[in-house]
Amino acid sequence: VKHRSGVTKDVSELLQDMGTPLLKTMVYDRVSITRSAITAGILSGTDHKAKEEFTSLAEEVVKYISA
């Protein structure tokens, strides 16, 4: 998700119109994600918000595919 971008809303609405289920977790466009390939990854990094977002996303995906 990019801050202050109408694209996120537009894409969300388009997917909903197509009947595509959307997850509630939002992963934001963070520098730590871009750098993760050279900094030992997100989960071992220092960006706590990024860790929370990815952990929440993983939990939500597991719940969705387990239902």
Side-chain angles (χ1 to χ4, degrees):
V1 176
K2 283 202 171 279
H3 291 287
R4 299 182 195 102
S5 172
V7 173
T8 301
K9 181 181 176 195
D10 293 344
V11 171
S12 293
E13 289 174 358
L14 177 63
L15 290 172
Q16 287 176 344
D17 290 345
M18 295 171 45
T20 304
L22 298 178
L23 300 176
K24 294 177 183 173
T25 302
M26 307 264 294
V27 175
Y28 292 89
D29 185 19
R30 300 183 181 282
V31 173
S32 62
I33 295 171
T34 305
R35 293 183 179 165
S36 66
I38 59 172
T39 60
I42 295 165
L43 297 179
S44 60
T46 59
D47 186 341
H48 298 291
K49 287 184 181 180
K51 287 182 198 180
E52 289 175 12
E53 291 169 1
F54 274 89
T55 301
S56 178
L57 178 62
E59 290 171 356
E60 191 173 353
V61 168
V62 168
K63 284 180 187 177
Y64 184 80
I65 62 175
S66 297

